Amino acid sequence: MKRPRLVPEGPAAVRTVGTATVATRDRVMAAVNEPLGGWGRLPELALAAAVGLCLIAAGDAVSWRGERWGVVLFWAGLALLLTLFAARVLGRGAARGERLGLILVLGLACYLVKVFHSPLHVTDVDELSHWRTIDDILRTGHLFHENPLLTVSPFYPGLETTVAAVSRVSGLGIFPSALIVVGCGKLLLLLSLFLFFERLGGSARAASIACLIYTANPNFVFFDSMFSYESLALPLAAMLLYLAALVSRGELRLRPPLLLLFAGGAFAVAATHHMTSYLFLAVLTLWCLVAAFRSAGSDRWGEAKRLGVVTLVALTAVLAWTDLVSGLAIEYLQPVLGNAVLGLVKLALREQSARQLFKTSSGYTPAAWERYAGIASIALVLLSLPPGLLYVWRRCRRHAGVLTLAIAVLLYPATLALRLTSVGAETSNRASEFLFVAIGLVAALGLTGFEPRAVAWRRLRVLLLAPAAAVLFAGGLIIGTAPWARLPGPYLVGADDRSIDAEGIAAADWMRSTLGPGNRIASDRYGTLLMGSIGEQRAVTGLIDRIPTGLVTLFTSTEFSSDELQTLARGKIDYVEVDRRLSQSLPRGNYFDSDVPHTAPLDPAALAKFDADPSISRLYDSGKIAVYDVSELRYGP
Amino acid sequence: MGRRSRLDEVLLAVTILAVLCAALSWLPVPLRALGALPLALVLPGYWLTAALLPSPALGPVSRAVLSVGFSIVVCVLAGLLLNLTSGGVSTTGWVLALGGITLLGSAVAWLRGGRMLEERPAPAIRSRLPGRRESTLLGLAAVLLVGAFGLARFSAAQHNRPDFTQLWMVPDAASAGRVIQLGLRNQEPAAQTFALELRVDGDIVNEWRPITLAPQQTWQAQVVAPDGRPFAGTVEALLYRADAPGQVYRHVLLRPAA
């Protein structure tokens, strides 16, 4: 029997493992858990990261004052952080422990960019939707309440129960508890991915480069750092993938205790986020099939069988949860994904024109350099894939795990095509945090597999690649997060978290404390979010109450016609909240959910009509925001 | 007794301390949080994997990953189970569930006595401890990080400061339109002096002046209809600021039911 190499340097080494006895496998395992090594340059780079974060915090502070040069500090901080970390990770000098440390510090730094952005309370659309779910859980002590802001959220309560556990046992409030849980999730994600990539790629260097590339996915800094279910489900799924990698290679034996743990983990992923659980299952299934049908391999059936068992366990868990919650997620996801595919088909058939990239529905276009950075980022990803795929084909095509990720990588160009459709752009964006797991490893294998022999050339390559990594990261951030949402600042109309301010929060707070929870109230997109979360109201939404266009015209029409009265009746609307600032400028994104494109700000007369009607009472006035009682109008004389 | 046993002894002590901190709700929050956080995010997963996966093949990094990951899994599953109980997801329920699972896991792991951590020679561990240079640099990084966080919080708090006044008027639901509640809250950065007029069909029926409110201070009044019958006309409340007495600052109104 061929003696296995004790320090695997590439996937080729893994091939020998399958034939090894358990004792030999354990020896190999011990070797893969190679000494962590010294601190290397980690302390210096941690200091550099702290300096970068100081610049970002200063950029945020400047931006709060409404000054535009805060952006310069923000990008300078990120550039410092990324370039130095990339140079060290891409080079050959760092030991395993240092690489682990670098990846953890980088992950923590990226998470702190989001924390510095909103250090006092949750501000994002998704965060406020989940806030309602946890608020209901802590208020009533039970799960599965109706959430008018995000109907599926209460049926995927994994994040909320974890935050509730932390809050209850520690005595901390919801917000700090959420920060701690999501932060732990972020570190868990990167550590799990590192170990997973290390098992598949066979070296700590490839693993750390893969993690570095993963952090450049458009949703890493902001979206996956939010108080939102994917932020926790993704780390759990990554941890289970790592366990599956250990099982697939026979490094952990399939015994009932392991299966019990795996089943629990899969059930927790299924109960935390629908899409993550489905994609996790899809990856396991593909991996299992690849293991069974790859061209050769002495332990082909053994690996396929082991993976088959864990896939079956995951399938049972996901199906059980989906059945428990009555397939709500399918109902929720079907229109999103269906419309994305339909949009793509229509585009191919030339039944609709391509969406103009980097332009919002209200016509907002970011600066030219941002558009170029976004395009450069995508180009860098596309350029990094052919060498990686070539390496996989030459060296790892018998390695089921690597081959699975190489197949998954091929989906990336398809998701780019979705960006050309107006309905598919969001789907494409949301796919990136999953696809970058595959992109990270394949690109890293390409980078480590084809290296110049001469030291001088290798150094030159690192000098070129480090800024390229910074561009990759910056471009990803630009693609994934709207310009107005990257830095905090004064109120803006229809601009995600920039539309959440103290006056809106105070109105929601007043509504809850004075009129009590559960009143049916209609508002613009951000008023709806605040009333539905902090205000604990039954916010009327176009989607759930099936009045998407009616709700928009309720606020855009200058008079009460039969259509508006019908909307009030169909939505059973008792209260309306009006933010007069909507008439001051066009929205950066949308005024309302299910909004229509606007060419001019809302007509002030459309908002003033609530004051003019003789059957409407104005109950609340804080200057910019007013709350009206429209129940008389709804019920009629 | 090997290293593993010493580590487990320490962790067992930490576990008991964490359960105590979580159970003693009267402890100051920072102290309780410090002691009890591992009970939610580290210890259940650590002991569960120690009990069920005592393989020496898993190194310390893998152990750390599985400890945090499976602690979160335990929180998710325990939450679902607690929901089925009458007490629901209460503090007591969490302490019992997480404490129970952790202590049970530690007992099983202890009894199984498997070697969880790879034996390493002591010098290897000592060599990983930061030296003076590393400690200085990491300490400096930590100081900068705390400063950056402080700056982020300070600037957010400064600019999120409210600068408006809330005025409201709602009918008292139990009085069938005979009583209305008036309220005023100063959310401006400084103390303000106001005057408030109450009009019925344009006629002033009541006035409050001056109303001086400190920041965040609330003023409330209950107004009963003069003749004991429900307010018949349009009731308006007009708020003026002392520094601009001729200009209506806030305006709310109740229209009579049809």
Side-chain angles (χ1 to χ4, degrees), chain A residues 302-485:
Chain A
E303 186 179 5
K305 257 192 275 182
R306 288 190 291 272
L307 281 168
V309 172
V310 293
T311 306
L312 205 61
V313 168
L315 176 72
T316 310
V318 173
L319 283 182
W321 186 258
T322 307
D323 184 53
L324 265 174
V325 298
S326 314
L328 262 175
I330 311 285
E331 210 175 288
Y332 169 72
L333 292 170
Q334 187 268 329
V336 180
L337 300 177
N339 287 340
V341 174
L342 194 66
L344 204 57
V345 171
K346 280 184 176 174
L347 187 70
L349 297 174
R350 298 191 177 181
E351 283 181 21
Q352 73 176 36
S353 56
R355 166 181 161 265
Q356 198 175 338
L357 294 172
F358 298 104
K359 192 173 182 180
T360 68
S361 57
S362 61
Y364 180 85
T365 311
W369 77 268
E370 292 193 4
R371 298 200 301 274
Y372 297 142
I375 292 166
S377 171
I378 292 172
L380 282 169
V381 172
L382 290 172
L383 280 173
S384 72
L385 295 182
L389 290 171
L390 182 64
Y391 183 85
V392 172
W393 180 250
R394 280 190 185 170
R395 300 283 301 273
C396 327
R397 63 174 180 265
R398 291 175 187 169
H399 190 303
V402 179
L403 208 53
T404 303
L405 294 188
I407 293 169
V409 148
L410 302 176
L411 289 173
Y412 182 66
T415 63
L416 291 180
L418 281 176
R419 288 188 183 273
L420 295 172
T421 67
S422 51
V423 285
E426 185 64 11
T427 306
S428 168
N429 193 38
R430 294 284 173 91
S432 61
E433 55 266 36
F434 301 104
L435 278 177
F436 264 69
V437 174
I439 290 169
L441 184 68
V442 171
L445 287 177
L447 283 169
T448 53
F450 299 106
E451 281 200 302
R453 285 181 188 277
V455 176
W457 280 110
R458 281 209 300 269
R459 283 188 182 152
L460 180 66
R461 201 171 86 125
V462 169
L463 277 178
L464 291 173
L465 284 176
V471 171
L472 179 75
F473 185 92
L477 189 58
I478 285 165
I479 292 168
T481 312
W484 55 81

Side-chain angles (χ1 to χ4, degrees), chain A residues 39 44 141 143 242 613 616, chain B residues 32 62 83 89 128 133 255:
Chain A
W39 286 84
E44 287 89 340
L143 313 179
Y242 167 57
D613 193 281
I616 295 178
Chain B
R32 190 175 163 210
S62 300
N83 183 56
V89 284
R128 257 183 257 149
R133 177 182 140 271
R255 292 206 161 96

Side-chain angles (χ1 to χ4, degrees), chain A residues 26 29 33 36-37 39-41 43-44 46-47 50-51 53-54 57-58 61 64-65 100 112 115-116 119-121 137 141-144 157-158 161-162 164-166 168-172 180 184 188 191-192 195 232 236 239 242-243 246 252 257-258 260-261 264-265 267-268 271-272 321 502-503 506 510 514-515 611 613-623 632 637, chain B residues 21-22 29 32-33 36-37 39-41 48-49 52-53 55 57-59 61-62 65-66 68-70 72-73 75-77 79-80 82-83 85-91 94-95 98 118 120 127-130 133-134 137-138 140-141 144-145 148-149 151-153 155-157 159-171 187 249-255 257-258:
Chain A
D26 286 349
M29 275 293 303
N33 288 320
L36 293 170
W39 286 84
R41 297 285 171 212
E44 287 89 340
L47 186 60
V51 172
L53 285 167
C54 283
W64 269 116
R65 300 203 320 244
L100 260 169
L112 288 175
V115 174
F116 288 1
L120 300 176
H121 49 78
I137 291 172
H142 287 282
L143 313 179
F144 310 123
T161 48
T162 307
V166 169
R168 288 297 190 220
V169 301
S170 69
L172 292 169
I180 291 169
C184 282
L188 176 65
L191 268 179
S192 301
L195 295 173
L232 194 67
L236 291 181
M239 180 194 71
Y242 167 57
L243 266 187
L246 294 180
L252 278 181
L258 174 67
L260 188 69
L261 278 177
F267 199 73
T272 303
W321 186 258
E503 195 163 343
W510 170 81
T514 307
L515 297 177
D611 282 318
D613 193 281
S615 49
I616 295 178
S617 297
R618 178 151 78 168
L619 305 182
Y620 171 92
D621 181 8
S622 64
E632 283 296 321
Chain B
C21 283
V29 171
R32 190 175 163 210
L37 270 176
L39 184 64
L41 293 172
L48 207 59
T49 49
L52 298 177
L53 283 182
S55 165
L58 293 173
V61 181
S62 300
V65 165
L66 297 182
V68 175
F70 280 104
I72 293 171
V73 169
C75 287
V76 175
L77 301 183
L80 295 174
L82 285 174
N83 183 56
T85 65
S86 57
V89 284
S90 60
T91 305
W94 280 118
V95 173
L98 296 177
E118 187 188 342
R120 287 190 192 285
S127 71
R128 257 183 257 149
L129 294 174
R133 177 182 140 271
E134 286 91 358
L137 289 170
L138 290 172
L140 200 55
L144 283 178
L145 207 58
F149 185 62
L151 175 64
R153 273 187 71 87
S155 49
H159 293 88
N160 260 322
R161 222 169 32 195
D163 56 350
F164 52 89
T165 297
Q166 298 167 283
L167 173 68
W168 65 90
M169 180 166 61
V170 292
Q187 300 258 33
Y249 186 48
R250 298 283 182 264
H251 178 211
V252 288
L253 60 88
L254 288 177
R255 292 206 161 96

Side-chain angles (χ1 to χ4, degrees), chain A residues 535-552:
Chain A
E536 295 174 5
Q537 302 300 309
R538 171 54 176 87
V540 176
T541 64
L543 187 70
I544 296 168
D545 296 287
R546 299 178 195 280
I547 43 170
T549 51
L551 207 54
V552 175

